[in-house]
């Protein structure tokens, strides 16, 4: 199993790419920015950051304005976050 810190860094890179992609609607890019901040908050445990980020991503995953390529990235991101142990 991969190191949880490395998985968090991977998620942050994916979110950064989403927030810079002008083909993704602004509200989804905003959630990507907010989720990045949650993942970077080292005051919280890795599990809590992953769970919070997963919740934020889950809310936006059903947005009807989301392009297909962005939805695929969201699913990939959710899958990575789910692999991080929450305890």
């Amino acid at each position: 199993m991969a190191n949880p810190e490395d998985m968090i860094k991977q998620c942050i890179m994916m979110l950064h790419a989403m927030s810079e992609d002008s083909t993704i609607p602004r509200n989804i890019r905003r959630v990507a920015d907010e989720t990045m901040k949650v993942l970077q908050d080292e005051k919280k445990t890795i599990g809590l950051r992953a769970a919070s980020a997963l919740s934020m991503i889950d809310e936006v995953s059903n947005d009807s304005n989301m392009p297909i390529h962005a939805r695929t990235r969201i699913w990939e991101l959710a899958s990575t976050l789910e692999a991080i142990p929450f305890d």
Side-chain angles (χ1 to χ4, degrees):
M1 182 157 83
N3 178 359
E5 277 294 333
D6 292 339
M7 295 169 79
I8 292 283
K9 289 177 186 175
Q10 178 186 3
C11 290
I12 291 171
M13 288 190 313
M14 291 179 357
L15 287 163
H16 180 71
M18 285 180 65
S19 70
E20 299 291 317
D21 188 344
S22 62
T23 64
I24 296 176
R26 200 173 323 149
N27 65 321
I28 297 169
R29 289 184 295 179
R30 189 176 317 116
V31 170
D33 282 335
E34 292 169 3
T35 305
M36 255 192 316
K37 290 176 186 172
V38 166
L39 289 174
Q40 293 170 334
D41 184 5
E42 295 186 4
K43 295 176 187 172
K44 298 177 182 169
T45 65
I46 290 176
L48 182 58
R49 288 187 273 165
S52 299
L54 187 56
S55 175
M56 295 170 77
I57 289 299
D58 187 49
E59 285 180 31
V60 78
S61 69
N62 295 319
D63 191 316
S64 61
N65 294 324
M66 187 181 305
I68 296 297
H69 72 280
R71 191 173 310 278
T72 303
R73 287 187 198 171
I74 290 287
W75 289 338
E76 181 181 357
L77 180 63
S79 177
T80 303
L81 288 169
E82 287 172 349
I84 297 172
F86 291 145
D87 52 2

